[in-house]
Amino acid sequence: MKICMIGAGYVGLVGGACFADLGNTVYCVDKNKNKISMLNNGEIPIYEPGLNEVVKKNYLSKRLKFTTDLSLAVSSSDIIFICVGTPTSKKNRSADLHFVFKVAAEIAKSIKKFKIIICKSTVPVTTGDKIEKIISKRVNKKLFEVISNPEFLREGEAIRDFRFPDRIVVGSNNKKAINKLKSLYEPLIKKGAKFFSTSRRGAEMIKYASNAFLATKISYINEIANLCEKINVNVEEVSIGIGLDQRIGGRFLRVGPAYGGSCFPKDTKALTVTGEMYNTDLSIIKSVIKSNEKRKILLTTRVKRILSNKIKNKKISFLGVTFKPNTDDMRQSTSLTMIPFLSKNGAKITYYDPTGKKNEFSSLKNVSFCNTIDNACNNADLVIIHTEWEEFKALDFKKLSKKKKFKIFDIRNLYSVKDMKKKGFNYYSIGR
Ligand SMILES: NC(=O)c1ccc[n+]([C@@H]2O[C@H](COP(=O)([O-])OP(=O)(O)OC[C@H]3O[C@@H](n4cnc5c(N)ncnc54)[C@H](O)[C@@H]3O)[C@@H](O)[C@H]2O)c1
């Protein structure tokens, strides 16, 4: 099939490369000229394991093309995916839909024959109706169909998640369009992905309700961890014990920092706004948001306690700053709260992240990037394991702390409390 992905970010680029890998011809469009020229020069603008290989292979076979020319891409394709960002609005907690609506208006200019327009961006319920309205201002309704097909991939696991999704959700009342999508996804359905079709609004709702549920699970176990710390119970054993109940399941019950990333924080907020618009109090989700915000402060307070309330001139090293491993995405990472706070209070921060230096910290005083773990930990008073990258899972702390003995705050529980104690480290973790 001939496909066009508008927005070559985490979703559009991964989806585009993987659709091309299934034998389709795919145009990836982005308004960011720099991004497109990088892609046309064989460079991948984001860090996503395995993406480079899939992009390269399909680019060379000419099934995958990169362009800034939206009109060319739309007129050359039968199926158009909208994959642009839907960040939190600068004015309130709602989703900023201006990228989506702008793209819808641009698509409309290039429709000469029938097109299926699919919104893959995460958008509040009724956005599909609005996209349809925008396009129908210019184009006869017989010439297009707007469908919702939310994306569930996880950054860091995106290629695998695209190829082996749990489910493919398609929202539309148009049987022909649903069947077209079913045949596009046929190779994945054959491998076991469940195909579920529902109304357009239903699909939009499924995406938000899923993300809010996962965010709830994370906040829930994090709060249970707070209690475990006080009553000397190991939260990890509690997680296992809870998760063994098949009605609950063990996933997303790992304690750690506040949930972050480009999805859960913005989607939980946007869902509560939709609730308010329709006079429905989504009190559970509202308290999850509150709990998550509190967690960032709670962890910073914990750092203060570990350092006996003396932060000034203390050298604090962060291992990992992204919101999770295997991605370079910094959006809503807990480090964005912790590092500025600590630097403002006089700490000297060094950080190492496998994905390199971060612009987010470049204007902060006393915050510097180190290109090795050794350099970052050198002369530290406290080392904070912030992100659970593989390379932090078997560190030789004896060697790292040879010059100066430092404290360790492991907010991902990568190490055993017993082992660390036995080895004589001053080790702190979460809920244990
Ligand atoms: N990142 C994830 O893990 C993930 C997972 C599931 C769903 N989603 C959703 O998918 C959507 C996209 O997320 P993302 O993380 O890929 O965003 P992103 O910010 O990485 O990429 C969006 C891209 O769209 C481009 N863009 C914006 N306006 C454009 C226009 N008019 N024409 C062409 N390109 C334009 C931007 O330049 C950018 O490259 C969001 O709604 C998000 O909530 C994201």
Side-chain angles (χ1 to χ4, degrees):
M1 293 185 192
K2 290 186 183 123
I3 301 172
C4 154
M5 312 294 286
I6 304 178
Y10 289 90
V11 167
L13 183 56
V14 169
C18 291
F19 276 132
D21 208 44
L22 294 175
N24 303 290
T25 301
V26 183
Y27 280 91
C28 277
V29 186
D30 207 288
K31 63 172 185 182
N32 183 332
K33 285 185 190 145
N34 187 32
K35 210 174 236 187
I36 292 301
S37 80
M38 277 177 86
L39 286 163
N40 277 322
N41 285 318
E43 290 169 63
I44 306 292
I46 54 170
Y47 179 92
E48 184 59 50
L51 182 59
N52 191 8
E53 292 76 10
V54 192
V55 168
K56 210 179 216 169
K57 176 180 153 205
N58 290 284
Y59 184 78
L60 290 175
S61 73
K62 296 201 165 55
R63 278 198 301 268
L64 184 60
K65 301 161 203 277
F66 300 109
T67 178
T68 53
D69 190 342
L70 187 141
S71 162
L72 165 85
V74 169
S75 46
S76 314
S77 309
D78 305 313
I79 301 179
I80 294 137
F81 284 93
I82 301 175
C83 311
V84 294
T86 47
T88 300
S89 155
K90 289 200 174 90
K91 289 187 223 128
N92 51 40
R93 291 167 293 128
S94 65
D96 177 355
L97 297 174
H98 91 272
F99 296 113
V100 172
F101 294 150
K102 194 158 177 257
V103 164
E106 282 181 55
I107 293 171
K109 288 185 207 158
S110 304
I111 298 180
K112 302 276 177 319
K113 62 180 182 83
F114 184 77
K115 308 277 176 199
I116 294 180
I117 295 147
I118 299 164
C119 189
K120 223 178 211 328
S121 296
T122 303
V123 290
V125 181
T126 71
T127 302
D129 306 3
K130 291 171 188 152
I131 295 174
E132 186 175 296
K133 210 166 163 191
I134 291 171
I135 299 176
S136 60
K137 274 187 193 153
R138 259 190 116 108
V139 184
N140 187 312
K141 274 200 174 147
K142 282 189 188 139
L143 280 184
F144 73 98
E145 188 64 39
V146 176
I147 292 185
S148 166
N149 170 218
E151 181 54 62
F152 297 101
L153 61 76
R154 292 162 300 170
E155 285 172 19
E157 312 267 351
I159 302 281
R160 198 206 147 271
D161 284 350
F162 182 93
R163 289 178 172 160
F164 302 96
D166 288 341
R167 79 306 207 182
I168 294 152
V169 173
V170 170
S172 170
N173 294 328
N174 181 320
K175 274 217 169 93
K176 241 169 120 178
I178 292 174
N179 283 337
K180 184 99 174 163
L181 270 204
K182 205 168 185 179
S183 47
L184 174 67
Y185 281 114
E186 192 60 36
L188 309 185
I189 298 167
K190 271 191 185 147
K191 282 190 297 185
K194 295 201 171 65
F195 185 87
F196 179 65
S197 69
T198 177
S199 66
R200 191 164 63 200
R201 290 182 180 189
E204 291 170 337
M205 192 67 212
I206 285 169
K207 175 64 191 173
Y208 275 100
S210 299
N211 274 3
F213 189 78
L214 293 172
T216 303
K217 261 187 126 176
I218 296 173
S219 293
Y220 177 78
I221 199 65
N222 277 340
E223 285 201 350
I224 294 291
N226 295 343
L227 182 58
C228 285
E229 275 168 21
K230 303 232 167 95
I231 50 182
N232 202 14
V233 168
N234 185 336
V235 74
E236 301 214 313
E237 290 169 13
V238 175
S239 282
I240 295 170
I242 300 173
L244 286 173
D245 184 331
Q246 288 188 13
R247 292 170 302 177
I248 300 174
R251 292 172 78 188
F252 279 74
L253 284 180
R254 283 201 58 191
V255 293
Y259 60 75
S262 66
C263 295
F264 292 174
K266 79 172 173 65
D267 295 346
T268 42
K269 281 184 212 151
L271 184 54
T272 60
V273 173
T274 306
E276 279 157 22
M277 278 168 71
Y278 294 91
N279 238 341
T280 305
D281 184 17
L282 300 175
S283 64
I284 295 174
I285 304 163
K286 281 185 194 160
S287 48
V288 166
I289 297 168
K290 227 191 216 163
S291 166
N292 198 55
E293 284 308 312
K294 266 204 217 149
R295 185 143 196 90
K296 297 179 192 169
I297 298 159
L298 191 132
L299 290 186
T300 321
T301 312
R302 184 96 191 272
V303 172
K304 267 178 29 196
R305 256 204 339 260
I306 292 172
L307 291 171
S308 313
N309 279 322
K310 290 181 191 112
I311 297 179
K312 201 159 183 215
N313 292 325
K314 284 282 176 340
K315 189 178 168 201
I316 305 177
S317 310
F318 276 74
L319 296 184
V321 287
T322 53
F323 85 98
K324 67 171 179 179
N326 298 324
T327 181
D328 56 352
D329 202 339
M330 286 294 291
R331 289 178 278 189
Q332 300 296 316
S333 176
T334 296
S335 68
L336 294 173
T337 306
M338 291 178 90
I339 291 182
F341 175 86
L342 296 168
S343 123
K344 213 169 135 195
N345 282 277
K348 296 190 168 80
I349 313 278
T350 51
Y351 70 95
Y352 164 78
D353 192 278
T355 57
K357 197 174 170 176
K358 303 295 167 197
N359 291 334
E360 286 81 353
F361 302 129
S362 52
S363 63
L364 295 181
K365 233 172 126 182
N366 290 329
V367 178
S368 54
F369 171 71
C370 297
N371 54 12
T372 65
I373 298 172
D374 283 51
N375 285 347
C377 297
N378 193 22
N379 274 322
D381 294 292
L382 172 68
V383 170
I384 298 178
I385 305 174
H386 177 275
T387 315
E388 71 271 38
W389 287 87
E390 282 300 311
E391 60 192 279
F392 303 152
K393 289 186 178 166
L395 293 172
D396 185 348
F397 286 112
K398 272 224 164 93
K399 204 172 135 213
L400 289 171
S401 60
K402 214 171 179 178
K403 264 201 203 156
K404 184 173 170 186
K405 208 169 170 207
F406 50 68
K407 294 179 174 179
I408 302 162
F409 182 23
D410 177 4
I411 64 178
R412 300 289 182 165
N413 287 0
L414 297 187
Y415 292 87
S416 139
V417 178
K418 217 165 133 195
D419 281 359
M420 295 301 267
K421 210 171 168 187
K422 217 156 85 193
K423 287 177 184 159
F425 293 116
N426 226 325
Y427 175 79
Y428 305 82
S429 60
I430 304 277
R432 307 188 294 179

